[in-house]
Amino acid sequence: MAFEKVKEIIKNPPAFAALNDLAAARLGGKVLYATDDFFAEKENLILQGRGIFITDKYTDRGKWMDGWESRRKRTPGHDWAVIQLAAPGRIKGFDIDTNFFLGNHPPHASVEAAYLSEEVTDWEAVPWKEILPKSPLDAGSQNFYESISSEIFTHVRLHIYPDGGVARFRVYGEIFKNWDTTGNDETIDLAAAINGAVSIACNDMFFSHMGNLIMPNRGANMGDGWETKRNRTPGNRDWVIVKLATKGTIEKALVDTGHFKGNYPDSCTIEACYAEEDSKVINDEVAWQTILPSQKLGADAEHEFDISNKEIFSHVRLNIFPDGGVSRLRLFGKKA
């Protein structure tokens, strides 16, 4: 299975695609170098979304494309790009998305990775380790592959053979944070993706993904949050579960309804639990405690709440009533 493409329909992607994208620009990832980005800039690789297509849009170099595209190679060799991950992490899998690249996608790709602690001037001299062997790519498709290494890396190098265009490159995995460097009295955001938190389950994310809740900064727009569909069931409750970056005590919560004006939830509660296994939490085989009783929410605003429960928790569940959108969830506290 390690070398095989994950053959699943896009509506039901592989399990690793639920993890954080360690290469995402909005999380802090950076495209540092590419051998060639003549037609479309290398930085597009790690932007949000799958990329768009504008029929009659051209630049002075050719057709405008929302991705990374190199020129047609007329010499030996192939093209590649180097991405610095937002934080060190264990890589579980990839999505090499060739959306809208139909007659110009690379037939094959591979991925290497490295752990680097110093600035690099010669990318060829880096001791790269192959974590995805040369594998076929389909045109205009999300191409999911598993990583064959569980080591911790800081950088990846995407190879395309021999040239062409890739719309987006996702590097799904688990952020590694050395918690020994965090003081016991230091206040941190236990729900921040950059610290290692991850949204692991929800009952509905019809309009936008639950992972947006724990991204850095305030939401850029209404699509940059977690929004459920309109529910007509009396007394409905929508919910999302976040696995904390590390087990700890929660002192303050911030529920941000930024950009949600006619579709913010009427109210919310927050529950928490302690569990060693995510599966038990997802299957509701844990004892939830209410750490924030029902609170009214307003439109397009940050809501701060003090949490009086000082127990140690590993997961939280944000409940919204009856439905709607929340831009960000922050849970400030201390590591256990």
Side-chain angles (χ1 to χ4, degrees):
M1 178 63 179
F3 296 173
E4 294 180 5
K5 184 177 178 183
V6 180
K7 294 288 189 180
E8 299 208 34
I9 61 173
I10 301 307
K11 290 183 179 179
N12 187 28
F16 63 68
L19 299 173
N20 291 322
D21 176 10
L22 306 184
R26 63 175 178 161
L27 193 60
K30 299 176 182 178
V31 184
L32 300 181
Y33 178 82
T35 52
D36 187 309
D37 60 352
F38 184 86
F39 285 118
E41 294 77 11
K42 61 186 185 298
E43 289 80 9
N44 293 334
L45 269 178
I46 58 175
L47 298 181
Q48 284 184 258
R50 292 192 60 201
I52 61 173
F53 185 82
I54 302 176
T55 303
D56 296 321
K57 185 172 182 178
Y58 288 84
T59 72
D60 59 358
R61 295 193 173 189
K63 180 71 182 74
W64 178 89
M65 295 295 288
D66 190 5
W68 166 49
E69 185 181 4
S70 62
R71 75 191 87 192
R72 303 188 188 205
K73 190 166 286 295
R74 306 306 190 195
T75 57
H78 67 278
D79 290 316
W80 47 269
V82 175
I83 296 96
Q84 178 181 310
L85 303 180
R90 292 183 174 88
I91 300 169
K92 300 296 184 180
F94 313 95
D95 176 9
I96 306 172
D97 189 355
T98 57
N99 197 33
F100 295 116
F101 288 93
L102 301 176
N104 51 353
H105 79 287
H108 295 84
S110 68
V111 180
E112 296 175 309
Y115 187 98
L116 304 175
S117 56
E118 298 180 353
E119 186 175 346
V120 173
T121 56
D122 182 3
W123 292 112
E124 294 278 19
V126 169
W128 296 104
K129 178 175 182 177
E130 188 173 71
I131 60 175
L132 175 67
K134 188 175 181 180
S135 304
L137 299 180
D138 292 332
S141 302
Q142 288 180 273
N143 297 270
F144 291 106
Y145 284 100
E146 293 181 342
S147 169
I148 61 173
S149 174
S150 60
E151 296 178 41
I152 297 170
F153 298 109
T154 58
H155 294 70
V156 294
R157 179 161 69 162
L158 172 65
H159 297 265
I160 57 174
Y161 303 93
D163 53 43
V166 175
R168 297 292 187 266
F169 180 46
R170 307 298 183 206
V171 182
Y172 294 108
E174 300 169 345
I175 286 177
F176 172 78
K177 184 177 176 67
N178 183 2
W179 289 102
D180 291 338
T181 62
T182 302
N184 293 332
D185 294 328
E186 185 176 343
T187 299
I188 53 175
D189 181 3
L190 295 171
I194 194 63
N195 288 331
V198 59
S199 299
I200 62 172
C202 69
N203 72 312
D204 186 296
M205 51 179 175
F206 186 87
F207 289 111
S208 47
H209 198 275
M210 62 183 177
N212 294 333
L213 269 180
I214 57 176
M215 287 295 115
N217 309 313
R218 296 197 71 191
N221 50 50
M222 199 172 70
D224 187 15
W226 168 56
E227 185 182 1
T228 65
K229 60 179 172 288
R230 300 188 189 212
N231 194 297
R232 313 305 187 184
T233 306
N236 182 69
R237 170 186 67 112
D238 288 332
W239 53 267
V240 59
I241 296 173
V242 175
K243 180 181 181 179
L244 301 181
T246 188
K247 299 174 179 68
T249 57
I250 301 170
E251 300 170 347
K252 188 182 293 291
L254 186 149
V255 180
D256 185 359
T257 58
H259 302 290
F260 292 99
K261 300 176 181 179
N263 50 353
Y264 63 94
D266 174 74
S267 60
C268 75
T269 66
I270 297 177
E271 299 169 292
C273 72
Y274 184 95
E276 295 293 341
E277 300 176 25
D278 292 347
S279 60
K280 291 187 178 296
V281 180
I282 294 171
N283 295 327
D284 209 21
E285 299 172 356
V286 296
W288 291 102
Q289 294 186 49
T290 299
I291 62 172
L292 181 70
S294 182
Q295 303 289 331
K296 277 284 192 178
L297 298 177
D300 191 28
E302 292 181 303
H303 307 78
E304 293 188 7
F305 307 107
D306 290 328
I307 306 296
S308 58
N309 191 317
K310 302 306 178 186
E311 294 186 38
I312 295 173
F313 297 112
S314 59
H315 299 74
V316 297
R317 182 164 65 185
L318 170 66
N319 303 297
I320 59 173
F321 304 88
D323 52 42
V326 177
S327 179
R328 295 290 187 269
L329 173 67
R330 308 294 185 211
L331 296 169
F332 299 104
K334 296 179 174 61
K335 70 174 187 178

